[in-house]
Amino acid sequence: MSDADDLKETDPQNSRRDFLRSAGLFTVTAAGLAGGLELLTRRPGAASAEAQGTVLVRPKRPLGPYDTSEAITPWAQATTYNNFYEFGTDKGDPARMAASLKPRPWTVRIDGEVKKPQTVDIDTLQGWFPLEDRVYRMRCVEGWSMVMPWLGFPLAALIRRLEPTGKAKYVQFTSLYDPKQFPGQRGNVLDWPYVEGLRLDEALHPLTFMAVGLDGRVLPGQNGAPLRLVVPWKYGFKNIKSIVRITLAEKQPQTTWALAASDEYGFYANVNPAVPHPRWSQATERRIGELGRRATLPFNGYADQVAGLYKGMDLRRNF
Ligand SMILES: Nc1nc2c(c(=O)[nH]1)N[C@H]1C(S)=C(S)[C@@H](COP(=O)(O)O)O[C@H]1N2
Ligand SMILES: [Mo]
C-alpha cells in the first residue's frame, strides 16, 4: 500500500471535505471534470520545475541556524501530495492540474498601510533580495507533516523595504483568483480568493519566509508558484500559495479557513499538540514517507524561537 493510499483511509482531509459537503459547499462542475480528464492524459508531475521555467541551480551548503537537519521529504512526494483547493480537493489534484497555472508573467499588488503602494513584477520583486535556503518542517492541520527545502527570502526584508506606516498591525495575503487557471475555483468549496494573514510581529519574525523555489528549483505550480508564504510554526493552511496581493492592514484580516469553519480553524493556527481539532487529536502526526506516527511538538518544534510572540495570550482561545 502506498503512503497516499494508506493516508486516504485515515486522513482527516476526508472529514475536512465531508464538513464542506455537509455544509452544502462541495460542488464539482462539469467543466471541472472535463478539465480533469483532459489533464489526466498528461504525465503526472508534468508541471515540474523544468516544465515551468528556469531551473535555479543552488550550490550545496552547510545547514544554517534556521534549518532542521531532519531528512528532507523526497521531491516526488512533496510535489504530488498537496493541498491546493484551487486545483481540487484531492491530494493528487494539484500536481495533475498545475500546468493550467501560468506563473509568468505575474505581478504582486502591494497596498494598504505602506508609504509607497505599488504593483511589482515577480522577477523584479524577487531580484530585490538575495535568495536563501531554509529547510523547514511543515505540519498540516490534518495530521501529516513534511520537511521542505525552501528557497526564497525573509518576509521581514520585503516589509522593511515597503516602509509600513505606523498604523500597520497585520499583513494580509491574497491568492490569485482566476477560474481559468484554477479549475477548483469554478466551485464554491472555499470562499475565493484564498486569504491569509499574520500579525505584523509574526510577519517580521526571521523564520517567516517567502518561497519562490523548492529544493533548488523554481517552485512548482502545485506548491504555490510563483510566490508563497512559509510560516513553519503554524499549521500548513497559513502558508498561502500563488500570492497576488500583500496588504498591510490596521485590522486583523478575515482568513479563508476561519471563515469556512471558525470553531475549527483560528487566525493564529499555531501548531499545538495540546489543543485538539474539534474532530481529531493534534497530539501526533504522520511524517510523509515514514511508517507510524510521531509526537507533534509545540509550535512545530520552533517554540524556542517563537513562543515569546504569544506571551500572556490564552492559546486555547486564540487557536
Ligand atoms: N491558496 C492556497 N494556499 C494554500 C492551500 C490552498 O488550498 N490554497 N492549502 C494550504 C494547506 S492546507 C497546506 S497543508 C499547504 C500545503 O503546501 P504544500 O502542498 O506545498 O505542501 O498549503 C496551504 N496553502
Ligand atoms: Mo493543511
Side-chain angles (χ1 to χ4, degrees):
M1 200 195 294
S2 78
D3 244 330
D5 290 339
D6 183 29
L7 277 158
K8 261 191 189 135
E9 300 305 316
T10 52
D11 202 323
Q13 164 74 18
N14 289 322
S15 41
R16 206 172 172 195
R17 204 185 324 128
D18 284 346
F19 154 76
L20 294 166
R21 193 186 278 118
S22 65
L25 294 167
F26 189 79
T27 53
V28 179
T29 65
L33 281 173
L37 287 177
E38 181 203 322
L39 285 159
L40 270 172
T41 58
R42 299 177 195 225
R43 184 173 57 83
S48 64
E50 291 82 353
Q52 290 210 354
T54 323
V55 176
L56 297 162
V57 180
R58 304 285 298 171
K60 293 267 177 249
R61 47 103 193 148
L63 292 179
Y66 302 114
D67 297 319
T68 174
S69 59
E70 290 163 77
I72 288 171
T73 302
W75 172 268
Q77 285 170 306
T79 59
T80 59
Y81 188 84
N82 302 100
N83 272 335
F84 199 167
Y85 277 22
E86 284 86 337
F87 286 124
T89 54
D90 284 327
K91 291 290 184 286
D93 285 339
R96 269 196 299 276
M97 310 297 272
S100 66
L101 173 66
K102 301 290 170 241
R104 295 290 190 289
W106 190 279
T107 57
V108 180
R109 175 74 193 150
I110 290 157
D111 59 7
E113 294 298 334
V114 289
K115 299 243 165 78
K116 276 183 234 144
Q118 58 192 293
T119 299
V120 57
D121 179 79
I122 182 64
D123 292 308
T124 305
L125 189 155
Q126 197 174 303
W128 287 342
F129 315 102
L131 296 187
E132 302 174 26
D133 301 275
R134 296 289 177 88
V135 184
Y136 282 165
R137 290 178 288 276
M138 185 182 73
R139 168 56 156 88
C140 176
V141 74
E142 297 160 354
W144 53 267
S145 63
M146 295 191 189
V147 176
M148 307 283 276
W150 303 110
L151 179 62
F153 53 88
L155 176 59
L158 174 59
I159 292 177
R160 294 215 169 88
R161 190 185 163 107
L162 300 177
E163 300 183 66
T165 72
K167 286 188 189 162
K169 298 281 180 297
Y170 295 88
V171 187
Q172 175 175 321
F173 305 85
T174 310
S175 291
L176 176 69
Y177 177 74
D178 183 357
K180 286 201 199 81
Q181 298 189 60
F182 283 144
Q185 289 180 335
R186 296 168 203 163
N188 297 325
V189 61
L190 287 172
D191 194 2
W192 312 114
Y194 198 102
V195 171
E196 259 306 335
L198 296 170
R199 229 169 48 192
L200 187 58
D201 60 341
E202 298 178 311
L204 291 172
H205 192 280
L207 282 169
T208 306
F209 205 60
M210 299 299 288
V212 298
L214 179 67
D215 208 6
R217 299 182 241 189
V218 167
L219 202 58
Q222 58 268 41
N223 296 94
L227 181 69
R228 67 91 63 83
L229 178 67
V230 182
V231 194
W233 70 93
K234 293 179 178 283
Y235 289 120
F237 67 84
K238 296 297 287 184
N239 298 344
I240 181 172
K241 296 174 169 181
S242 303
I243 294 166
V244 293
R245 186 175 177 193
I246 300 173
T247 308
L248 278 282
E250 226 181 318
K251 298 216 171 77
Q252 183 176 303
Q254 281 270 29
T255 56
T256 294
W257 275 104
L259 215 61
S262 60
D263 52 331
E264 304 191 6
Y265 310 103
F267 174 79
Y268 282 95
N270 293 315
V271 174
N272 191 344
V275 175
H277 183 280
R279 292 180 287 122
W280 59 83
S281 164
Q282 295 291 25
T284 65
E285 67 198 55
R286 176 180 171 80
R287 179 66 52 86
I288 297 299
E290 284 181 3
L291 297 168
R293 298 180 73 84
R294 50 164 76 205
T296 287
L297 301 174
F299 299 103
N300 202 23
Y302 299 95
D304 287 353
Q305 289 107 301
V306 302
L309 292 170
Y310 309 101
K311 237 182 173 163
M313 281 178 64
D314 177 354
L315 296 180
R316 289 183 176 271
R317 216 170 62 85
N318 297 288
F319 63 92

